Amino acid sequence: MNFELLCSQIQGLVSRDPGQRGCGALVVPGDLAAAATALAAARRVLVATGFPQAGGEAETDGPPGAIALAGALVALGKPVLLVAEAQIVPVLAAGALALGARLPAAPYGSPAAAAFGPDLLVSIERPGRAADGEYHNMRGERITARVAPVDELFLGPLPSVAVGDGGNEIGMGKVYSRIAGAVRHGERVACVVPCSHLIAAGVSNWGAWGLVTALGARTGRRLLHGPAAEAALMSAIVAAGAIDGVTGRPEPTVDGLPLAEHLRLLEELHALQLPLAAGS
Ligand code: ZN
Ligand code: ZN
């Protein structure tokens, strides 16, 4: 199967929309293939994630996908840095440990983050400012006081890849005019910050897994982790303080959907990976 066709199959899987939140209208055909190509060519990648909840907690959507993608980039020999609010950084470290990956993580604005010097930016489920300059959650509530302005990086000259599921995330400015008609509270929450390549997904972790699958196809590698590793990662981040953004509870569900549903989608993506070579 050719690469573009495979990527459109992957995009079809990850933009499945069980919560009927309207992400299908935000898909940009061709962007998943372009994003994987940009990731394959990048030398140093900054991966921003974390959507701070009411008490500043991490959400179970975003960090797992960001950790999986960062792990894949490290497996390809590329230095990465995970970036989020200081309160979320320990959650990223715990998740990476569960995945068996050594992934550096630093608070946005810290010396380590400022000195990293990426040539590609990635955002996996990060709040992005709306037209009024404020950040909002999917319920339309203003959350600016607890959000680090990571999106300002994406207003600069570096190329970027962004994943979102609600129209209020970094990168959604690329499809700004479609958001109000597609998403609840879209008029108020629509993010104005664009990106080079946008992946709209039913759940942002799925979009990140789709990126890993496409990056594997682009580079001739099997990079996607399995369901057992994902379940371990999810328990680790919940133990470290992550909560479900829909239920508000510390449980291994994402966007209110049970873990089994996420693991099923991961299996489906696995089936699209390159076949294992004989003997491997
Ligand atoms: Zn979202
Ligand atoms: Zn989500």
Side-chain angles (χ1 to χ4, degrees):
M1 191 191 308
N2 84 37
F3 177 65
E4 280 73 23
L5 186 60
L6 174 68
C7 286
S8 64
Q9 284 198 7
I10 295 169
Q11 176 67 66
L13 271 183
V14 304
S15 53
R16 195 179 286 167
D17 189 9
Q20 296 182 333
R21 292 169 53 196
C23 75
L26 307 178
V27 171
V28 181
D31 265 22
L32 178 60
T37 300
L39 285 164
R43 285 177 293 109
R44 293 174 72 80
V45 186
L46 184 144
V47 181
T49 191
F51 206 110
Q53 302 299 296
E57 303 95 333
E59 192 194 350
T60 53
D61 195 15
I67 290 164
L69 179 60
L73 290 165
V74 166
L76 293 171
K78 302 175 193 294
V80 299
L81 182 66
L82 288 160
V83 169
E85 284 75 11
Q87 189 177 338
I88 292 177
V89 165
V91 170
L92 301 177
L97 201 62
L99 211 56
R102 289 160 61 95
L103 302 174
Y108 185 68
S110 67
F116 182 64
D119 66 345
L120 181 69
L121 303 171
V122 175
S123 170
I124 311 288
E125 188 67 15
R126 273 286 320 168
R129 68 195 67 182
D132 63 358
E134 308 277 352
Y135 303 98
H136 302 83
N137 63 20
M138 60 178 283
R139 291 178 286 277
E141 298 155 354
R142 189 182 289 179
I143 58 167
T144 306
R146 55 183 191 257
V147 175
V150 178
D151 60 343
E152 66 196 6
L153 291 177
F154 292 74
L155 294 168
L158 287 174
S160 58
V161 170
V163 176
D165 58 9
N168 54 339
E169 301 92 355
I170 291 177
M172 287 290 180
K174 181 165 182 176
V175 293
Y176 184 78
S177 63
R178 303 189 210 163
I179 299 172
V183 176
R184 266 190 87 209
H185 307 301
E187 251 151 71
R188 184 173 346 153
V189 309
C191 172
V192 297
V193 179
C195 63
S196 312
H197 313 297
L198 178 68
I199 319 306
V203 172
S204 287
N205 288 339
W206 301 355
W209 299 344
L211 272 173
V212 173
T213 311
L215 179 61
R218 179 87 289 185
T219 56
R221 299 275 299 270
R222 291 171 62 92
L223 297 170
L224 192 61
H225 64 302
E230 178 63 20
L233 191 166
M234 194 56 69
S235 323
I237 68 162
V238 170
I243 62 177
D244 184 311
V246 170
T247 69
R249 289 195 293 265
E251 55 193 3
T253 59
V254 183
D255 291 354
L257 301 169
L259 184 60
E261 185 159 350
H262 302 281
L263 301 186
R264 233 181 349 258
L265 191 117
L266 193 55
E267 294 272 21
E268 289 181 64
L269 287 169
H270 260 269
L272 293 178
Q273 288 200 106
L274 295 167
L276 277 173
S280 69

